[in-house]
Amino acid sequence: MRSRRRSKSSAFFAKILQYLLVLLLVLGGSWYFYKQYISFNAEKILSESILQEKTFVARPVEVISPHYKIKAYLLEEKTAPIISFSFMFKGAGRVSDDKDQQGISGLTAAMLTEGTESLTSQDFKEKLENYAIGISFSAGLDDFTGAMVTTSEHQKQAYALLKDILIHPRFDKEDLNRTKLQLQKSFLLQKEHPQSILNLKFAEYLYKNHPYGRNPLGEWNAVSKLNRQDLLKYMQTHFAQNNLIIGVAGDITPENLENVLDDVFGSLPQSTAIDFVRNPDMDFNMPELNIDFAAGAQNISRFAAKGVSRSDKDFYPLYVANHIFGGSGLSSRLSKAAREDKGLTYSIYTYMSLADKSPLLQGEFSATKDKYAKVKEILRQEWNKFGQQGATEQEVEDAKNYLLASYNLRFASIANLSEILLYMQKEDLGLDFLQNRNNNIKNISTEQVNQVAKKYFKPQGYVSVNIGNFGQNKEK
Amino acid sequence: MARLKYIIIYGLLLCLFVLPVQARLFGAQSFMLENGLQVVVVENHKAPIIKYMIWYKASAVDEKEGKGGTAHLLEHLMFRGTSNVSGEMFDDVLKQNGVESNAFTSLDFTVYYHSLDISKLELVMALEADRMKNLQISPKNFALERDIVYQERKQVVDNNPSAPFSESYRKVLWQEHPYARSVSGTEKEIKSLTLEDVQDFYNGLYSPDNAVLILSGDIDMQTAKSLAQKYYGEIEKRPLAAKAKFPNLKQNIRAKLEMQLPQINTPRLLKTYIAPSLSLNKDEIYNLSVLSKYLGEGETSELYKDLVLEQKKALAVSSSYDYLSRSYGRFQISALPANGVSVQELEQAIDESIKKAIKNLNIDKINNVKDKMLSGLVYLQDNPFDAADTVGIMSAAGMSVNDIEKQAEYIRAVQYQDVKESANKLFLENAALTGFLKPLGEN
């Protein structure tokens, strides 16, 4: 009975097995068919695409002017008959403003497009518009930067105007008064939006008395007293050949550029007299600071931890780590956890900031009062988890793929190109940086990423400044 | 009348002069698929990159009454997956291939765009074509994205101290017109939106014949044609749902809106004239573009010279003219008064200054303004990503590529009498709103 039953049941099982096999084949076949022809198959689309990857290498050259030996990186690019210059006076940014003249670099930047000794402000601006020349200046935190774009057709006029500005700026009294009053308005506007108030308070809290903690507009009392002589002296002491860096892109040959460099920048003094700026003392374990802002519809939190400079050996691994943690938009860990999975915030992100004396890993999020504590807790947990466990192989692979495949997007405009060439020199990346960059990314290992994750994402290792409505718990 | 004059002048220009050779502005070309999808191609071979944009001619203005924020919520949900590709996969695939993707919703248009290496174009086209027809909205994703757009509104609109002013301003200016709406929807509207609202909007309006595809970068016409056909050719057009009805606004209205708000530290002024657009009175758009440049674009403009430099009544003044819309256009003047000058006094000064500038307009002045507008056209050939944006909105607003490429000729053809005529009509006959935003307690 038992054996009969067994033989009967074994036949039964054999039958079942047969059915199962057939079913498996059918299922497997349909799965294959589905993957191949119906569902979305990214690899298949890419491998069969009529558009394959193209080799694209931008090879800038170094140009040195014959007479004054002024150096520039140049990328000749002839898609359109236009030329872009990006240049900077290194170290001449807001951080270098005299303590009693805070805002002088910014005021100078605004005043440099207000004419020259031979051209009134209006004449000067008319010329720029008629020749379609763009000239602008900006006082950054560390450096003073300038930019010029011109059509090939009017390049001679463009060089003449730029040269004239740098040697004979007008700094007319009336223009100066007006520009100061405009700046005064900016001081008022700056304290309206909670985001802008937070930016000011954040720098103040993080850097205390170090120049990095200053208001980017300066001090109104100081700005209001500045005169023509002050601005001229600032230029004489801050703009020189030895702190000048230049990047050029567009429709110009190295031979032409050589002469332009001598002509436009040759009259600058040899060297600057910029005071040395010390490194700030940083404390990332300070308690958080809450700023009450009753009118706010959301609380905004800004946070920072120690980062690395561009030349640090940890730069690339941290670049990838940041991308995975909070730098890649909606697919970053922070966005996934707080936004995509829970709907608690519209934006949460991190980025690397590269101030010369204080590179940071920074971030920000905002959320309505009822969700704020939850997002804050998610940030804390994700930060600690990332520091302890690092990233997965897959995450590192995906991040690298993104950074490699998106590389060429930066070559869209020549203004962007000349700026890249400028920063390659500022950061000493070398003339062949553009050719090497992708290898630098490719060579990063998961292990390296996880090492820097551990080193920079320390438990609670960031300081926060927040603005909004915090109810009872005002200051921690 | 204006049109006839225009044609005559244009004809004369063509016949009598050899126009200065402005071979192309963007070099835009266009074709249409059988399903009605318009494709516009701008070739730029500087680098192996491309910007891909799809402009849906469907947005906030097409929402049902009380359902503000539908178009914007749909924009978000378009990233949450289809019946073929999950939202996560969509995002992962794009990220792994270095594609930078985003979207925005305006009153008139909803736009999805990607910047990418040219070798990844087919991937993007496959994904975009898929989400044009197969969007799948799960209740879970719907609830999540509704929470997210609520947070977005709080962050982008309500956290801005001047937001109550902007929102009231729009309502007073546009009266019953759908331009009075908030793109994000009000808090109440966002909370009342349902999955069906969004699904209906998608079903009814995301049809190939209601969209424009822009390909700007390292591509040629032939490739563009074959790829557009391959990925979009099969998508059938859907019966279009009712689109926005734009009412005729009462003209001759001169309204004022004054608000004092906390957190506002300095007064400002914003004056808007409801103006002709590409869709309404397109004959006047170049006259008014030249007018705006003449009056208030840049620091050599008439209003800046008069009010900031001469009279010193303002510290900033500028004008802008927006005609790339589905309904009316807008001509705006904004200004910051100098210390000790009231916004009322400044408004009066602006009005007088405009009158004076129009009176003084002559052939030399108009030529100077036109020269400035036309001097930098070659810059348009530089950045394929910028070109995509500009050609995109022009095409979506209904401008043919032929007209896009002829911008320079149209501007050149504008005569000072035309500008005077259009200006007088605009400032005397059109509805306008002056808004004063002031600090709390300031008279």
Side-chain angles (χ1 to χ4, degrees):
Chain A
M1 198 130 142
R2 185 170 268 243
S3 70
R4 236 180 85 194
R5 200 184 280 163
R6 191 178 288 154
S7 72
K8 203 173 173 184
S9 72
S10 69
F12 177 71
F13 278 122
K15 204 87 177 166
I16 291 276
L17 204 68
Q18 266 179 8
Y19 283 131
L20 275 176
L21 263 172
V22 172
L23 194 68
L24 204 69
L25 272 172
V26 170
L27 278 177
S30 0
W31 177 247
Y32 177 79
F33 185 78
Y34 175 74
K35 285 303 280 182
Q36 205 65 16
Y37 301 102
I38 300 177
S39 94
F40 187 80
N41 186 338
E43 287 104 62
K44 187 163 181 280
I45 292 172
L46 286 173
S47 65
E48 290 173 6
S49 171
I50 53 169
L51 295 163
Q52 290 302 315
E53 258 174 63
K54 292 182 184 174
T55 338
F56 174 75
V57 193
R59 290 184 200 282
V61 295
E62 184 177 80
V63 172
I64 296 172
S65 73
H67 193 79
Y68 295 101
K69 308 294 172 210
I70 295 166
K71 198 178 92 176
Y73 278 7
L74 164 68
L75 189 71
E76 246 186 290
E77 213 292 320
K78 293 180 183 293
T79 307
I82 54 181
I83 305 161
S84 170
F85 277 64
S86 297
F87 55 95
M88 76 164 53
F89 296 105
K90 202 169 178 321
R94 306 190 304 260
V95 74
S96 74
D97 289 358
D98 191 281
K99 195 164 172 292
D100 304 321
Q101 295 191 325
Q102 283 179 45
I104 190 168
S105 54
L107 184 63
T108 307
M111 283 301 295
L112 277 175
T113 46
E114 294 292 335
T116 68
E117 281 174 14
S118 59
L119 290 170
T120 65
S121 162
Q122 274 297 302
D123 292 343
F124 181 80
K125 288 171 189 172
E126 282 283 341
K127 272 201 190 284
L128 291 187
E129 287 202 63
N130 282 316
Y131 293 132
I133 296 165
I135 296 181
S136 64
F137 296 93
S138 166
L141 182 61
D142 291 306
D143 311 303
F144 190 98
T145 57
M148 184 185 80
V149 288
T150 177
T151 60
S152 317
E153 187 187 353
H154 296 304
Q155 56 181 307
K156 285 214 169 84
Q157 288 89 340
Y159 305 140
L161 287 172
L162 182 58
K163 177 184 179 177
D164 206 13
I165 291 175
L166 291 173
I167 308 173
H168 305 297
R170 188 169 189 92
F171 297 157
D172 191 84
K173 193 167 182 185
E174 188 151 328
D175 296 330
L176 189 59
N177 280 342
R178 184 185 66 253
T179 306
K180 282 185 194 174
L181 291 172
Q182 287 166 335
L183 259 169
Q184 191 185 20
K185 286 277 177 194
S186 305
F187 277 98
L188 292 171
L189 292 168
Q190 192 188 32
K191 291 184 182 70
E192 290 186 349
H193 199 294
Q195 178 71 64
S196 159
I197 297 169
L198 176 61
N199 294 347
L200 292 173
K201 297 281 181 189
F202 181 78
E204 258 176 53
Y205 187 62
L206 205 62
Y207 293 113
K208 308 286 184 288
N209 291 324
H210 188 274
Y212 277 179
R214 292 172 179 174
N215 184 332
L217 296 174
E219 291 285 337
W220 170 241
N221 278 337
V223 169
S224 65
K225 293 190 189 92
L226 294 171
N227 60 35
R228 183 172 194 273
Q229 284 311 314
D230 295 327
L231 301 195
L232 288 172
K233 192 176 165 224
Y234 164 81
M235 284 181 72
Q236 278 152 18
T237 48
H238 287 68
F239 297 181
Q241 290 181 23
N242 78 335
N243 72 333
L244 172 66
I245 309 176
I246 306 165
V248 182
D251 183 20
I252 182 171
T253 63
E255 295 71 34
N256 285 343
L257 180 58
E258 282 180 4
N259 297 321
V260 171
L261 293 177
D262 266 343
D263 181 39
V264 174
F265 300 103
S267 314
L268 289 168
Q270 283 297 312
S271 58
T272 58
I274 298 175
D275 288 341
F276 175 77
V277 178
R278 68 183 162 87
N279 286 333
D281 302 318
M282 303 300 290
D283 176 7
F284 295 105
N285 294 313
M286 284 192 292
E288 69 177 344
L289 174 71
N290 286 338
I291 303 154
D292 267 332
F293 188 82
Q298 264 190 340
N299 295 353
I300 315 174
S301 173
R302 183 158 241 244
F303 51 95
K306 184 178 157 26
V308 298
S309 67
R310 190 68 184 70
S311 53
D312 195 289
K313 65 169 175 36
D314 288 342
F315 177 81
Y316 278 106
L318 192 59
Y319 188 56
V320 172
N322 171 66
H323 185 86
I324 295 167
F325 181 71
S328 60
L330 300 189
S331 60
S332 74
R333 282 202 182 183
L334 281 182
S335 267
K336 272 192 175 147
R339 177 181 153 143
E340 295 298 281
D341 293 349
K342 299 223 169 63
L344 299 171
T345 178
Y346 171 61
S347 80
I348 180 165
Y349 58 90
T350 60
Y351 61 100
M352 291 167 82
S353 66
L354 293 173
D356 290 352
K357 312 262 157 131
S358 173
L360 297 175
L361 190 56
Q362 282 197 72
E364 190 169 291
F365 71 85
S366 58
T368 47
K369 195 184 167 188
D370 56 322
K371 308 279 197 269
Y372 174 73
K374 285 183 193 158
V375 182
K376 198 172 147 183
E377 179 57 19
I378 287 174
L379 167 65
R380 195 188 66 83
Q381 284 175 5
E382 290 293 328
W383 181 282
N384 292 347
K385 192 170 99 188
F386 194 64
Q388 282 153 15
Q389 299 170 13
T392 64
E393 290 276 352
Q394 187 63 49
E395 281 176 314
V396 174
E397 190 61 30
D398 288 351
K400 283 163 65 176
N401 283 338
Y402 171 80
L403 295 170
L404 293 171
S406 63
Y407 181 60
N408 286 338
L409 300 182
R410 68 200 65 207
F411 300 111
S413 85
I414 62 155
N416 206 16
L417 272 174
S418 63
E419 208 170 298
I420 291 171
L421 297 173
L422 175 67
Y423 282 91
M424 277 163 58
Q425 295 169 85
K426 170 176 163 139
E427 303 289 356
D428 266 329
L429 304 179
L431 191 57
D432 54 359
F433 165 73
L434 296 174
Q435 292 98 290
N436 297 338
R437 185 268 189 186
N438 276 356
N439 283 332
N440 294 335
I441 299 284
K442 276 181 203 151
N443 293 336
I444 298 165
S445 67
T446 306
E447 203 188 343
Q448 283 174 303
V449 172
N450 291 340
Q451 274 167 4
V452 298
K454 201 168 184 176
K455 191 166 160 191
Y456 296 93
F457 289 78
K458 291 194 176 120
Q460 279 84 47
Y462 55 88
V463 54
S464 318
V465 180
N466 320 308
I467 190 165
N469 293 287
F470 301 97
Q472 293 305 311
N473 23 336
K474 248 174 125 178
E475 293 238 3
K476 205 172 148 188
Chain B
M1 183 60 199
R3 183 168 177 82
L4 184 64
K5 192 181 338 172
Y6 182 72
I7 291 168
I8 293 170
I9 291 162
Y10 179 42
L12 278 177
L13 271 172
L14 278 184
C15 302
L16 299 180
F17 311 108
V18 178
L19 279 168
V21 184
Q22 198 72 61
R24 61 184 193 125
L25 294 190
F26 300 95
Q29 293 172 277
S30 173
F31 60 93
M32 196 174 275
L33 299 184
E34 264 174 45
N35 59 17
L37 178 72
Q38 192 199 343
V39 185
V40 181
V41 180
V42 178
E43 286 192 41
N44 183 322
H45 302 285
K46 170 192 284 172
I49 52 178
I50 191 163
K51 185 158 180 178
Y52 174 103
M53 300 184 103
I54 185 137
W55 290 67
Y56 287 99
K57 292 180 251 187
S59 204
V61 293
D62 304 299
E63 289 160 352
K64 293 204 181 90
E65 203 66 46
K67 292 293 184 181
T70 308
H72 179 233
L73 180 53
L74 171 58
E75 177 226 294
H76 276 240
L77 285 161
M78 286 284 281
F79 291 85
R80 287 283 187 172
T82 67
S83 47
N84 295 324
V85 185
S86 72
E88 204 155 88
M89 185 177 176
F90 181 88
D91 203 45
D92 287 349
V93 164
L94 290 176
K95 278 281 145 59
Q96 284 155 14
N97 288 286
V99 182
E100 285 179 5
S101 305
N102 214 331
F104 65 85
T105 309
S106 71
L107 282 161
D108 287 324
F109 310 109
T110 313
V111 187
Y112 303 83
Y113 58 95
H114 313 267
S115 305
L116 55 142
D117 194 277
I118 188 68
S119 61
K120 314 294 183 189
L121 180 62
E122 288 203 41
L123 192 61
V124 164
M125 291 187 84
L127 286 168
E128 277 292 352
D130 176 51
R131 69 176 175 173
M132 184 185 266
K133 62 174 180 192
N134 300 318
L135 183 69
Q136 203 168 52
I137 308 172
S138 75
K140 186 183 160 219
N141 284 335
F142 175 81
L144 275 171
E145 285 302 336
R146 195 175 55 186
D147 285 350
I148 293 168
V149 297
Y150 172 77
Q151 291 293 332
E152 181 178 356
R153 182 187 157 93
K154 290 283 153 190
Q155 179 178 329
V156 179
V157 181
D158 296 331
N159 230 9
N160 188 340
S162 61
F165 174 73
S166 321
E167 299 230 305
S168 304
Y169 192 95
R170 234 180 20 240
K171 285 181 200 149
V172 178
L173 175 66
W174 292 108
Q175 311 154 41
E176 300 306 308
H177 193 284
Y179 282 171
R181 289 178 195 168
S182 148
V183 173
S184 66
T186 62
E187 194 171 327
K188 197 176 144 204
E189 283 176 319
I190 292 173
K191 288 184 170 161
S192 80
L193 293 175
T194 64
L195 200 156
E196 289 68 37
D197 294 331
V198 179
Q199 187 74 54
D200 286 351
F201 192 95
Y202 172 80
N203 292 345
L205 293 165
Y206 275 36
S207 177
D209 55 336
N210 198 31
V212 183
L213 169 65
I214 310 289
L215 296 168
S216 176
D218 189 19
I219 192 165
D220 57 66
M221 201 53 180
Q222 199 190 342
T223 311
K225 272 186 180 159
S226 83
L227 291 182
Q229 184 57 40
K230 178 173 173 186
Y231 291 100
Y232 284 96
E234 309 271 293
I235 301 178
E236 281 173 29
K237 60 178 153 191
R238 317 201 267 263
L240 274 188
K243 293 178 76 172
K245 288 196 180 61
F246 298 116
N248 287 323
L249 287 174
K250 296 184 199 92
Q251 300 293 339
N252 273 324
I253 286 180
R254 291 286 176 278
K256 284 218 161 78
L257 172 72
E258 183 173 330
M259 273 178 114
Q260 297 181 4
L261 291 175
Q263 267 320 112
I264 294 302
N265 293 330
T266 186
R268 62 208 79 161
L269 177 158
L270 176 66
K271 190 162 190 170
T272 306
Y273 291 87
I274 292 175
S277 68
L278 183 68
S279 327
L280 301 166
N281 292 339
K282 80 176 198 185
D283 298 341
E284 293 195 69
I285 59 178
Y286 296 105
N287 300 346
L288 292 175
S289 299
V290 173
L291 176 70
S292 176
K293 175 76 186 167
Y294 171 66
L295 284 181
E297 290 177 26
E299 296 185 353
T300 61
S301 63
E302 296 297 306
L303 292 183
Y304 192 91
K305 283 193 287 195
D306 187 30
L307 297 166
V308 179
L309 302 183
E310 288 296 318
Q311 299 192 47
K312 299 190 172 55
K313 285 192 171 163
L315 286 169
V317 60
S318 64
S319 67
S320 65
Y321 173 47
D322 175 14
Y323 57 88
L324 294 168
S325 46
R326 284 168 55 194
S327 178
Y328 291 101
R330 282 183 319 184
F331 194 100
Q332 288 195 315
I333 294 148
S334 57
L336 281 177
N339 297 338
V341 177
S342 72
V343 276
Q344 286 83 356
E345 188 186 344
L346 179 57
E347 191 203 5
Q348 223 171 12
I350 290 174
D351 286 347
E352 280 159 23
S353 189
I354 289 176
K355 271 185 211 145
K356 199 164 61 184
I358 294 171
K359 192 165 157 259
N360 292 341
L361 192 54
N362 59 31
I363 194 156
D364 292 339
K365 288 192 176 191
I366 208 77
N367 284 341
N368 182 284
V369 171
K370 289 194 289 182
D371 285 348
K372 286 178 191 168
M373 292 175 84
L374 299 171
S375 64
L377 293 175
V378 290
Y379 288 115
L380 298 177
Q381 294 165 25
D382 177 34
N383 187 340
F385 297 170
D386 290 351
D389 297 345
T390 312
V391 170
I393 189 163
M394 287 175 158
S395 304
M399 196 182 276
S400 69
V401 288
N402 193 33
D403 280 350
I404 291 174
E405 291 299 320
K406 280 187 179 156
Q407 298 286 300
E409 288 170 37
Y410 295 158
I411 288 168
R412 235 175 246 127
V414 171
Q415 299 298 301
Y416 81 93
Q417 297 93 328
D418 303 332
V419 177
K420 273 191 176 183
E421 213 172 281
S422 292
N424 284 328
K425 224 158 72 187
L426 178 77
F427 295 127
L428 295 175
E429 295 171 15
N430 286 20
L433 170 63
T434 308
F436 302 131
L437 174 59
K438 295 170 161 185
L440 216 51
E442 187 171 310
N443 288 317

